[in-house]
Amino acid sequence: MEIERKYIYSDIELDRKEGEIIEEVKASSQAVIPDPDEWLEEELKQNIILTTVDWFINWGRRSSLWPAICFPACCAFELIAANGPRFDLARFGMEILRASPRQADLMITAGTLTWKMAPNVRRIYNQMPEPKWVIAMGACAISGGIFASASYAVVPGYNRIIPVDVYVPGCPPRPEALIYGIQLLQKKIAKRRNIDVGKLIRR
């Protein structure tokens, strides 16, 4: 038995209606809809860091100073305390004290230096790879301390032998003073220029 189907609209009317809808869509679709790229701007803000090569190199250097100890004398106890758990020198990336100057980039000088030992200090400094820095810790390292005026054999400061970057006064200076001096050195390293753009352009 066949069921008789009754359509509300005729085929001609349906075609006309669909044609109107299509023409309406065509008329409203002449311009290109822009891509909603707000997400792209957010991605760029979250995943791109703008910096310089100098900043990146200096960040690595100041965050991983490897110290060599040179004649710590009385200041050794304060240096040991700075390396201990209370002051935690390791948080500055310098927990390993180097036995060889060839593995170090920071020399912490402390204690009385005699002229007889001065060539050895300079030799240790020269064996350190570039770039390298020096912290003079304590009065003896800065000016010879109480022994400089009383003895002809005492060097009146390590800066007569090697260049010193930071001076930490005290007899002996407390661990906090040494840590403050290290932070000053880190700020100095952060301002260092590693790449001469002028030379690169001239090449």
Side-chain angles (χ1 to χ4, degrees), residues 136-139 142 167-174 177:
M137 178 184 179
I142 294 172
Y167 298 89
V168 181
C171 187
R174 285 186 51 79

Side-chain angles (χ1 to χ4, degrees), residues 14 48 52-53 78 87-88 99 129-130 132 136-138 163 173:
L14 283 173
I48 292 182
T52 62
V53 175
E78 302 301 323
F87 298 101
D88 192 18
E130 292 286 348
K132 53 192 171 185
M137 178 184 179

Side-chain angles (χ1 to χ4, degrees), residues 123-201:
R123 185 178 301 113
I124 291 171
Y125 178 80
N126 290 335
Q127 287 174 349
M128 292 169 63
E130 292 286 348
K132 53 192 171 185
W133 300 276
V134 177
I135 291 179
M137 178 184 179
C140 293
I142 294 172
S143 62
I146 59 174
F147 307 102
S149 59
S151 174
Y152 64 91
V154 174
V155 178
Y158 281 78
N159 56 5
R160 304 294 179 98
I161 308 299
I162 54 177
V164 175
D165 296 283
V166 175
Y167 298 89
V168 181
C171 187
R174 285 186 51 79
E176 298 96 330
L178 176 61
I179 290 172
Y180 180 70
I182 291 168
Q183 290 176 331
L184 289 178
L185 179 63
Q186 288 176 325
K187 290 178 182 177
K188 185 174 184 178
I189 295 170
K191 297 176 182 177
R192 179 184 169 88
R193 292 185 63 186
N194 301 289
I195 299 173
D196 191 350
V197 180
K199 288 182 178 179
L200 295 176
I201 293 172

Side-chain angles (χ1 to χ4, degrees), residues 37-190:
D37 54 359
E38 291 85 6
W39 64 270
L40 181 61
E41 293 180 6
E42 288 298 321
E43 284 286 316
L44 291 175
K45 289 177 183 177
Q46 293 177 8
N47 296 311
I48 292 182
I49 299 174
L50 298 178
T51 184
T52 62
V53 175
D54 277 338
W55 184 93
F56 191 73
I57 293 172
N58 292 337
W59 170 79
R61 285 178 175 159
R62 74 174 187 264
S63 302
S64 60
L65 291 168
W66 288 4
I69 308 304
C70 186
F71 306 104
C74 315
C75 293
F77 295 102
E78 302 301 323
L79 184 61
I80 292 166
N83 273 292
R86 181 177 180 187
F87 298 101
D88 192 18
L89 205 58
R91 61 196 157 123
F92 299 103
M94 49 190 303
E95 65 271 15
I96 302 173
L97 300 177
R98 298 290 156 178
S100 170
R102 292 180 177 86
Q103 298 174 349
D105 53 7
L106 169 63
M107 179 188 283
I108 300 177
T109 61
T112 307
L113 176 65
T114 61
W115 286 108
K116 185 175 183 179
M117 292 301 295
N120 295 326
V121 173
R122 183 175 289 170
R123 185 178 301 113
I124 291 171
Y125 178 80
N126 290 335
Q127 287 174 349
M128 292 169 63
E130 292 286 348
K132 53 192 171 185
W133 300 276
V134 177
I135 291 179
M137 178 184 179
C140 293
I142 294 172
S143 62
I146 59 174
F147 307 102
S149 59
S151 174
Y152 64 91
V154 174
V155 178
Y158 281 78
N159 56 5
R160 304 294 179 98
I161 308 299
I162 54 177
V164 175
D165 296 283
V166 175
Y167 298 89
V168 181
C171 187
R174 285 186 51 79
E176 298 96 330
L178 176 61
I179 290 172
Y180 180 70
I182 291 168
Q183 290 176 331
L184 289 178
L185 179 63
Q186 288 176 325
K187 290 178 182 177
K188 185 174 184 178
I189 295 170

